[in-house]
Amino acid sequence: MTDTLIQMPTQRRVLPVGENGSLWEARPSCGIFEFRGMRLRLAVEDPAEVLFPTDCGLSLIAALNGGDAPDLKGVNALDIGAGSGLYSLALLAAGAERVTALDINPASAAQTAANVVSNGLDATRLTCVTSPLEEYTPDERFDLVITNPPHLPYDPSYARDDGLETALVARRGGRAVYDSVVERMDTLLAPGGTLLMAHSSLADIPRTITELTARAYESDTLAIFEMDIPLLAYTEHKDAMLSLLKERRAAGRADFDGSRFTVHALMFRRPLDATER
C-alpha cells in the first residue's frame, strides 16, 4: 500500500458502555456519548434491526471533538448510512441547520427520529430518507456529508440481506459503499463543501484518497484509531472472514496486524471552483 496518509499517534477508542456492556458479544441497545460539550443518549429499540454504533463509527465522533474539526453550526448536512442516528444527532446538537439522514434500512428512519426527539432536539430540522445511495436524487447539494461505510468483506456464508448486516458487510471486498460515496460525491456535495468519513484500513484507504484528490479535493486526516476487527460478531465464520481479509492485504488493499486494524477519520474539502462531472 502507498504511504499517502498523515501519520498520527493511534488511540484505543472504547465504546461508552450501554445497558449490557459489550459491543460484539452482545450488541447493546443504549449508550451515552459526549459531543462538543453536550451529553447525548443514543438508544436502539431493537438491536437485531438497527446496529448500535460501533467503535468504528464512534471514532469519527471522537475526532470531531478535536480542535482541528470543522465548524458544524448552520450547515445543511447529509448523513449517509444514518443507522441509529449517531451522526445526525451529533450534527443537530452542534448547531446544524438541517440534517438529512439517508439509510437503506427502513428501520433507521424511525430510530433516528426517536433519538433526536428523546434528546430534546428540533425534529423539524431532520429529514429521514430510505433509499440506496445509488438511487438517491436530492434536489440540492449539501454543505457537509458524513459517513461511516460498511467495511467487512462479503461472503455468502455469513452475510445476510437485512439492514443490520448491510451496515457491516459490503460487496466488492468491503468497498461497495466507499465506491458509491466517491462516485456520487460531486452530485451530493456543494463546491466548497466538506466530506467527513470514518474509513477502515480493511477497505483500501489509499484508493479513496487517490480518487478524491484526483478530482482536486483537499485531503486531511483528523485522527487515527486502533481497534479490534469485530470477529466476535462472526465467531462461526472467523476463518472465512480472515481468509478474505488476508487475500486483500496480500493484494495491497487492506492493512491490519493480527486482529487489529485502524480507522482513519478523514476530511475532504471540495474546491470552491469545482466543475460539474
Side-chain angles (χ1 to χ4, degrees), residues 201-269:
S201 67
L202 304 179
D204 202 347
I205 295 173
R207 175 176 170 177
T208 298
I209 293 177
T210 297
E211 291 184 355
L212 285 172
T213 54
R215 301 185 188 181
Y217 282 67
E218 295 180 1
S219 171
D220 196 8
T221 303
L222 298 176
I224 300 173
F225 299 85
E226 182 183 336
M227 58 193 70
D228 292 324
I229 299 174
L231 295 172
L232 286 175
Y234 299 93
T235 302
E236 297 179 4
H237 307 286
K238 176 180 177 180
D239 291 341
M241 182 177 290
L242 277 177
S243 177
L244 291 172
L245 289 172
K246 288 176 181 177
E247 289 177 6
R248 292 192 59 76
R249 182 172 62 183
R253 298 175 181 173
D255 184 16
F256 63 99
D257 183 7
S259 63
R260 304 282 284 174
F261 75 112
T262 56
V263 174
H264 296 232
L266 302 179
M267 180 169 65
F268 299 93
R269 292 193 185 276

Side-chain angles (χ1 to χ4, degrees), residues 5-109:
L5 301 178
I6 300 172
Q7 297 302 314
M8 300 176 63
T10 58
Q11 303 177 42
R12 169 69 177 180
R13 175 63 180 175
V14 179
L15 181 74
V17 175
E19 62 186 20
N20 61 13
S22 171
L23 174 60
W24 293 114
E25 292 179 290
R27 288 178 174 136
S29 60
C30 71
I32 304 293
F33 69 99
E34 293 186 2
F35 189 68
R36 300 196 175 184
M38 293 191 64
R39 199 167 160 81
L40 302 168
R41 183 182 188 275
L42 190 126
V44 171
E45 183 176 343
D46 185 354
E49 288 191 359
V50 178
L51 181 68
F52 187 81
T54 66
D55 284 358
C56 187
L58 283 166
S59 65
L60 185 52
I61 290 291
L64 292 177
N65 272 324
D68 295 331
D71 187 6
L72 302 175
K73 291 182 180 179
V75 299
N76 178 21
L78 172 65
D79 179 2
I80 296 177
S84 57
L86 173 68
Y87 297 154
S88 293
L89 182 60
L91 289 168
L92 289 171
E97 179 64 27
R98 289 183 291 151
V99 175
T100 298
L102 174 69
D103 202 290
I104 195 172
N105 181 4
S108 170

Side-chain angles (χ1 to χ4, degrees), residues 169-185:
V169 176
R171 295 182 184 271
R172 299 200 294 274
R175 281 280 320 178
V177 180
Y178 290 102
D179 291 339
S180 293
V181 168
V182 171
E183 181 180 343
R184 294 295 316 282
M185 198 45 48

Side-chain angles (χ1 to χ4, degrees), residues 107-168:
S108 170
Q111 191 62 75
T112 296
N115 279 318
V116 168
V117 170
S118 68
N119 281 274
L121 298 171
D122 184 359
T124 65
R125 290 154 53 201
L126 173 73
T127 300
C128 294
V129 178
T130 301
S131 171
L133 174 58
E134 297 80 2
E135 299 175 10
Y136 177 53
T137 54
D139 56 6
E140 61 182 339
R141 284 186 172 86
F142 299 90
D143 306 319
L144 184 143
V145 175
I146 189 167
T147 186
N148 168 33
H151 63 115
L152 299 178
Y154 174 88
D155 188 88
S157 68
Y158 57 74
R160 305 194 303 267
D161 291 329
D162 59 43
L164 184 63
E165 289 305 306
T166 301
L168 290 169

